[in-house]
């Protein structure tokens, strides 16, 4: 069942990436409001949240705290920020960062192997700062249209993305080094 969901998610993120490429060819279009974009992202993010649940119950390896933080941020940005910043470049950059991250992550869960492992662990080292920065920028842009608690949450999100993002990136780097050296040792033993 999980393999089928992973294949569905991979195909979904690939289709979303293709749709984003088509939509983003137009300069001032509201990407978030474009046909199929927001509903697709909500569905695909729901599948990511299921995986965080699997981490919580121990049926999937991963950093639970980082998973909760990343996917809470995505949900907040999708629900509050992107509807206000759909025409801004920050929305496009964040969405492409999410797509690249997920498209390079799912082959690891579907196929395994060294190449999939390298993609799984190295890609977020580039896409995570790009996505976190774009999310923070989008929050800053949206704050002029927000008030009350949502404005405070958006400002807090900027701080979390900057400081927590730097910390999260270091955790990802350490995990990448550990996983890739472990994978290399296993492939060296097979030779």
């Amino acid at each position: 069942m999980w393999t089928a969901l992973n294949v569905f998610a991979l195909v979904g993120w690939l289709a979303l990436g293709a749709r984003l490429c088509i939509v983003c060819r137009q300069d001032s279009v509201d990407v978030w409001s474009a046909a199929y974009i927001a509903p697709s992202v909500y569905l695909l993010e729901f599948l990511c949240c299921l995986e965080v649940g699997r981490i919580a119950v121990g049926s999937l390896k991963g950093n639970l705290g980082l998973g909760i933080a990343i996917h809470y941020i995505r949900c907040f940005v999708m629900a509050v920020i992107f509807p206000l910043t759909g025409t801004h470049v920050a929305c496009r950059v964040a969405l492409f960062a999410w797509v690249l991250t997920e498209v390079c992550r799912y082959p690891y869960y579907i196929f395994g192997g060294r190449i999939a492992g390298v993609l799984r662990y190295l890609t977020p080292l580039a896409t995570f700062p790009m996505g976190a920065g774009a999310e923070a920028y989008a929050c800053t842009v949206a704050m002029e249209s927000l008030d009350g608690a949502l404005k405070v949450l958006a400002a807090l999100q900027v701080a979390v993305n900057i400081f927590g993002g730097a910390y999260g990136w270091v955790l990802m780097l350490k995990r990448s080094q550990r996983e890739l050296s472990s994978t290399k040792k296993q492939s060296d033993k097979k030779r």
Side-chain angles (χ1 to χ4, degrees):
M1 176 178 107
W2 295 118
T3 301
L5 275 176
N6 288 336
V7 170
F8 176 81
L10 175 60
V11 170
W13 284 105
L14 285 167
L16 177 62
R19 178 74 179 130
L20 277 171
C21 287
I22 292 167
V23 169
C24 288
R25 291 177 60 198
Q26 304 165 14
D27 284 336
S28 61
V29 70
D30 183 337
V31 172
W32 190 245
S33 295
Y36 307 111
I37 299 292
S40 299
V41 177
Y42 279 117
L43 174 64
L44 294 167
E45 183 57 26
F46 172 75
L47 295 178
C48 291
C49 290
L50 279 178
E51 292 171 355
V52 173
R54 289 184 61 204
I55 293 169
V57 299
S59 73
L60 185 65
K61 261 182 13 178
N63 182 324
L64 181 61
L66 188 59
I68 290 170
I70 287 171
H71 297 291
Y72 158 77
I73 291 166
R74 283 188 184 181
C75 290
F76 175 77
V77 169
M78 291 182 320
V80 177
I81 304 302
F82 284 169
L84 301 172
T85 60
T87 59
H88 198 277
V89 69
C91 179
R92 295 167 190 235
V93 171
L95 287 171
F96 275 115
W98 296 357
V99 166
L100 286 171
T101 300
E102 301 305 334
V103 164
C104 291
R105 189 171 67 88
Y106 279 103
Y108 178 77
Y109 295 117
I110 297 167
F111 307 112
R114 175 121 174 97
I115 293 171
V118 169
L119 275 175
R120 156 77 177 101
Y121 289 106
L122 291 185
T123 300
L125 295 176
T127 59
F128 181 73
M130 180 173 63
E135 293 159 5
Y137 190 22
C139 286
T140 302
V141 170
M143 277 194 281
E144 66 188 41
S145 301
L146 297 171
D147 55 11
L150 290 178
K151 189 170 192 165
V152 171
L153 285 172
L156 182 60
Q157 199 58 67
V158 172
V160 166
N161 276 37
I162 293 169
F163 299 109
Y167 178 72
W169 188 86
V170 170
L171 291 177
M172 287 180 188
L173 177 63
K174 289 180 180 177
R175 172 96 187 256
S176 297
Q177 291 171 328
R178 188 174 57 247
E179 292 292 332
L180 293 175
S181 69
S182 162
T183 305
K184 183 173 180 354
K185 287 177 188 173
Q186 289 173 355
S187 69
D188 287 347
K189 286 181 183 177
K190 291 179 182 177
R191 289 183 189 174

